[in-house]
Amino acid sequence: MWTPPDQPENVTAAEPSLRDDTGGLEFQTEICALLERGPDGVALHRSDGTILRANLQMERWLGVARAELAGRGLDQFETSLTPSTLRHIWRNVPTDTPRVFEAALRGKDNTELPVEMSVTTVELQQEKLCMTIARDIRGRQQTKEALRSSQEQYRCLLDTAADGIITASGNGTIRSFSRAAEQLFGYQEGEVLGRNLTLLMPSAAARTHDSH
């Protein structure tokens, strides 16, 4: 289970080693329990990436027992950024806002997991440490890929249709212009995108359109 870091011998339960403005040791224990049960992977580490604690989800993702993770570098499991880049991020995390970026974690079986990492700083036993929370973004990436594929199919339809196809917003702003429409009206798509449909209408029809 995720537990608060061990306290030095000269610190009693009345003086929790994790200090902030949100409460005492009981509050910290509750937070640790939430992190342990949460769906995100969590690692407490030094600014050089040395892991001190990891929760159950991080253990599952990396395929390494938490006892074995302790002392290893978190950068050993990240594949999309160089170790020097990661250490630069960890050493320069703002104290008031988290540093958020996309990355990829590689497990023991070499399976890669796309994640969004949110890094904040915490002070434990007078040492500045990093708390990295990794969120699985496979669903988000699948949605992006599906949208990209849909846009490519739509573009293919526009480029191969025999009829001129024009799409516009509710106020008449042109959003797309097929190749057949280019041939029909004599404009290139780049010339009409963002302009009003009245550009393609005879003057009288344009005035009537604008009056509605």
Side-chain angles (χ1 to χ4, degrees):
M1 177 180 174
W2 178 283
T3 58
D6 298 332
Q7 299 176 5
E9 293 181 358
N10 62 345
V11 177
T12 65
E15 294 182 19
S17 59
L18 176 55
R19 296 185 181 277
D20 59 20
D21 297 329
T22 55
L25 184 60
E26 182 178 353
F27 178 84
Q28 306 300 340
T29 302
E30 291 176 358
I31 292 297
C32 290
L34 288 173
L35 294 174
E36 178 66 19
R37 295 193 300 266
D40 300 327
V42 183
L44 179 69
H45 56 91
R46 294 191 170 93
S47 59
D48 64 357
T50 302
I51 299 172
L52 303 177
R53 294 283 192 277
N55 73 344
L56 180 60
Q57 186 65 282
M58 187 66 81
E59 176 185 302
R60 288 170 175 166
W61 284 346
L62 301 182
V64 179
R66 281 174 283 186
E68 298 177 24
L69 283 174
R72 297 181 64 176
L74 184 58
D75 55 285
Q76 297 176 24
F77 303 96
E78 207 292 321
T79 62
S80 63
L81 300 173
T82 65
S84 60
T85 298
L86 286 169
R87 285 192 288 270
H88 176 77
I89 292 173
W90 293 329
R91 288 169 179 161
N92 295 278
V93 177
T95 57
D96 54 345
T97 55
R99 184 74 180 271
V100 181
F101 56 96
E102 290 191 3
L105 293 175
R106 181 171 58 200
K108 191 175 182 179
D109 60 356
N110 288 323
T111 299
E112 290 195 359
L113 175 71
V115 296
E116 179 183 81
M117 284 189 171
S118 177
V119 187
T120 56
T121 59
V122 294
E123 187 172 332
L124 300 178
Q125 300 173 8
Q126 298 182 338
E127 181 181 6
K128 183 180 177 181
L129 302 173
C130 294
M131 177 83 77
T132 291
I133 300 177
R135 175 158 296 176
D136 183 350
I137 57 172
R138 284 176 294 186
R140 183 192 305 176
Q141 290 196 343
Q142 289 170 358
T143 299
K144 286 182 179 179
E145 178 59 27
L147 178 60
R148 186 190 64 79
S149 177
S150 176
Q151 290 173 336
E152 288 181 351
Q153 292 176 15
Y154 177 69
R155 186 73 250 177
C156 181
L157 173 63
L158 284 182
D159 290 342
T160 57
D163 298 325
I165 300 176
I166 304 168
T167 62
S169 63
N171 63 2
T173 301
I174 299 173
R175 298 302 186 191
S176 65
F177 205 68
S178 70
R179 288 184 180 176
E182 291 179 338
Q183 297 174 358
L184 182 62
F185 291 97
Y187 288 101
Q188 295 297 308
E189 184 178 40
E191 297 178 277
V192 300
L193 291 182
R195 300 182 67 177
N196 198 275
L197 280 171
T198 54
L199 173 69
L200 309 176
M201 301 177 184
S203 298
R207 288 193 296 270
T208 301
H209 181 273
D210 288 339
S211 66
H212 286 76

